[in-house]
Amino acid sequence: MKKKVWLSAAAIALVLCCAVGGTLAWLSAKTDPINNTFTVGDISIQLAESDNLDLKMVPGKTLTKDPAVTVKAGSEACWLFVKVETSSNFGTFMTYDIAGGWTALAGVAGVYYRQVPAAAADAVYPVLKDNQVIVKEEVTKQQLQAVSTDLPTMTFTAYAVQQDSIADAITAWGKVAPTTT
């Protein structure tokens, strides 16, 4: 019988503890979680020129040559470069000027740059002033005939690198400059 009394007393004590414990409340709080999804930045460029350009050299003639670099919509702010390479005999026959907005990169022949902000739309940057090269007036028929096996050439290459964390054009060029081995 003592055992039953003892079990009954224990049961009553347990019920009282639960009732008292249930009525005690602690001040507490909890926030909703904040989830972060990291996205990927990108730079996309395109170098294009009109098809079927008439590049026949005639003394004094202005030739249409319209290379342009497009920084595609959604690209990050970038350092944009264009490298203009000409054959060793190009200057004997023709001249050109770089379009406005480009700056010659100090110490690197034929490389020009500009800073391009991030934009929602495609941004097009012509390379040559007035989209042209000019055949020099003093070029003679004999010079043109002699050059037929070694015609002048002009080559364009575009490069881009993010502006973020890159303070100047020389450093930016170092990130994208072609290496020679």
Side-chain angles (χ1 to χ4, degrees):
M1 181 79 148
K2 264 185 177 184
K3 199 175 191 180
K4 282 186 183 183
V5 171
W6 185 83
L7 282 176
S8 294
I12 291 171
L14 184 61
V15 169
L16 285 174
C17 283
C18 287
V20 170
T23 60
L24 293 177
W26 296 97
L27 295 177
S28 64
K30 178 184 174 196
T31 68
D32 291 332
I34 296 175
N35 294 316
N36 294 286
T37 301
F38 296 91
T39 61
V40 177
D42 194 13
I43 299 171
S44 180
I45 61 173
Q46 177 183 7
L47 177 64
E49 185 172 48
S50 296
D51 293 331
N52 302 319
L53 294 174
D54 179 10
L55 301 178
K56 191 178 300 177
M57 291 188 298
V58 174
K61 183 176 181 183
T62 298
L63 304 173
T64 298
K65 183 121 181 74
D66 62 351
V69 183
T70 302
V71 178
K72 297 296 200 169
S75 290
E76 300 297 320
C78 65
W79 292 94
L80 181 64
F81 297 90
V82 66
K83 185 174 185 180
V84 181
E85 298 173 279
T86 58
S87 59
S88 61
N89 63 352
F90 183 90
T92 302
F93 296 95
M94 290 179 276
T95 65
Y96 68 93
D97 291 313
I98 295 297
W102 295 98
T103 301
L105 186 62
V108 185
V111 175
Y112 304 87
Y113 73 92
R114 66 189 318 138
Q115 290 180 275
V116 178
D122 288 356
V124 180
Y125 301 98
V127 176
L128 298 177
K129 181 179 179 185
D130 300 325
N131 291 319
Q132 66 185 19
V133 295
I134 299 170
V135 180
K136 293 179 177 180
E137 288 184 18
E138 60 271 13
V139 171
T140 66
K141 181 176 183 177
Q142 291 76 23
Q143 286 177 304
L144 292 173
Q145 288 172 336
V147 78
S148 65
T149 58
D150 186 23
L151 294 169
T153 61
M154 188 174 213
T155 304
F156 302 89
T157 310
Y159 306 85
V161 65
Q162 69 191 40
Q163 274 186 35
D164 193 28
S165 302
I166 301 176
D168 59 76
I170 294 290
T171 303
W173 178 245
K175 305 279 186 201
V176 295
T179 57
T180 55
T181 56

